[in-house]
Amino acid sequence: GDYSLSPQAAPAGPATVEQHFITVGAGISINDILANSATTRVAAADLLAAQRDADSATLQARARGIDRYFTALQAIAIEQVRAQAVRGAQRGRSAAEIRARTGEAPRLDVLRADVSLSQAQADFARAQADRANAVDALASAANVEPSTLARLGSQRQGGVEPRAPLDERSAVARALASRPELAALLASLDARKTGVSLARQTAWPSLTVGGGYQRGVDTAVPVHGPQAAVHLDVPLAPGTNERVAIAQAQADAAQTQLIEERRTIALDVAAAVRTARAAQAAQSAARHARDAAQRALAAVELGYREGASSSLDVAEARRSYVQASVDALIAEYQRAQALALLEAMVP
């Protein structure tokens, strides 16, 4: 709608009359039509990039949660092993005390058993602190009270198996096709490329076309009828080239970031596959070492009771078994964590 009022010479005489018009109509900018598709594409690409960024943040949070979850399970299991080691050291000291009183072993065996017991108690105290720290970290990440995780230690992860054979090439291909970080960068790149087109359009003349119905008074005579107008603005100030250069630089930066992210994901996924395979082999070896150490301890303890082994042999065998048990637990949970992280990295 438009209203105009201006003075005008009268048809006769020096007097003036008023010219006024009321116009109602519709107008459209041709440039808006041409640029609307590109502007919509930029907005849609920015929205998609934001959504994929949210998915990427969720994936990163999940990876941190996996790390804290298996760290807590490992700390709980190690604490249990250290508690068993204390009980074993206490039984060893009791046996040494009995043998010393009956004259079957020197008093030195009791002192050695005291040393072994003190070391086991110190290791248990450190394991308790590690467990408390790990459970608190997990509870904080899960936004729950640490007391709600009291039954967490009853879960064992030794039976976790990969969903598919651990093949680096296929894992990398799946990750490159599904990772949200790449989808976000692709959408951002599309938006930046469209921004280059919009920057070039700033050099075009601006054309506006309007039409409607006009009614008013001209030279004291009532008039009415259809009305049309065409308005053309030709930009004369420089600056288009600079805007295009800036938009092109942003597109080039997005392209470089996409290439680097693809390289990073490929390296990380390949490394995760190799780590998972190594963790599987390490778990098998650690389990065999623990079983062998357990059999060795049983043999040495039997020999000690029969007088064929010394207290030094028993203490050394018990330390070897405890360490082998800890190593086996660490290998077990590292394997489970590696497989869980791989599954998160390759949806």
PDB file of all heavy atoms in Angstrom, residues 85 146 148 162 322:
ATOM      1  N   ALA A  85      44.623 -61.595  47.675  1.00  0.00           N
ATOM      2  CA  ALA A  85      46.051 -61.694  47.968  1.00  0.00           C
ATOM      3  C   ALA A  85      46.332 -61.458  49.450  1.00  0.00           C
ATOM      4  O   ALA A  85      47.207 -62.117  50.045  1.00  0.00           O
ATOM      5  CB  ALA A  85      46.824 -60.682  47.114  1.00  0.00           C
ATOM      6  N   PRO A 146      27.193 -42.604  43.457  1.00  0.00           N
ATOM      7  CA  PRO A 146      28.112 -43.752  43.448  1.00  0.00           C
ATOM      8  C   PRO A 146      27.531 -44.989  44.114  1.00  0.00           C
ATOM      9  O   PRO A 146      27.871 -46.114  43.736  1.00  0.00           O
ATOM     10  CB  PRO A 146      29.336 -43.215  44.207  1.00  0.00           C
ATOM     11  CG  PRO A 146      29.281 -41.731  44.024  1.00  0.00           C
ATOM     12  CD  PRO A 146      27.818 -41.389  43.995  1.00  0.00           C
ATOM     13  N   THR A 148      24.688 -46.231  43.770  1.00  0.00           N
ATOM     14  CA  THR A 148      23.874 -47.017  42.839  1.00  0.00           C
ATOM     15  C   THR A 148      24.716 -47.969  42.005  1.00  0.00           C
ATOM     16  O   THR A 148      24.167 -48.843  41.329  1.00  0.00           O
ATOM     17  CB  THR A 148      23.098 -46.090  41.896  1.00  0.00           C
ATOM     18  OG1 THR A 148      24.023 -45.313  41.120  1.00  0.00           O
ATOM     19  CG2 THR A 148      22.206 -45.144  42.683  1.00  0.00           C
ATOM     20  N   PRO A 162      33.446 -59.484  19.037  1.00  0.00           N
ATOM     21  CA  PRO A 162      33.177 -58.466  18.012  1.00  0.00           C
ATOM     22  C   PRO A 162      31.998 -58.864  17.141  1.00  0.00           C
ATOM     23  O   PRO A 162      31.731 -60.054  16.938  1.00  0.00           O
ATOM     24  CB  PRO A 162      34.485 -58.424  17.212  1.00  0.00           C
ATOM     25  CG  PRO A 162      35.118 -59.754  17.440  1.00  0.00           C
ATOM     26  CD  PRO A 162      34.729 -60.157  18.831  1.00  0.00           C
ATOM     27  N   VAL A 322      49.633 -63.383  41.932  1.00  0.00           N
ATOM     28  CA  VAL A 322      48.813 -62.181  42.086  1.00  0.00           C
ATOM     29  C   VAL A 322      49.018 -61.231  40.916  1.00  0.00           C
ATOM     30  O   VAL A 322      48.060 -60.692  40.344  1.00  0.00           O
ATOM     31  CB  VAL A 322      49.131 -61.486  43.424  1.00  0.00           C
ATOM     32  CG1 VAL A 322      48.449 -60.121  43.493  1.00  0.00           C
ATOM     33  CG2 VAL A 322      48.686 -62.348  44.599  1.00  0.00           C
TER      34      VAL A 322
END
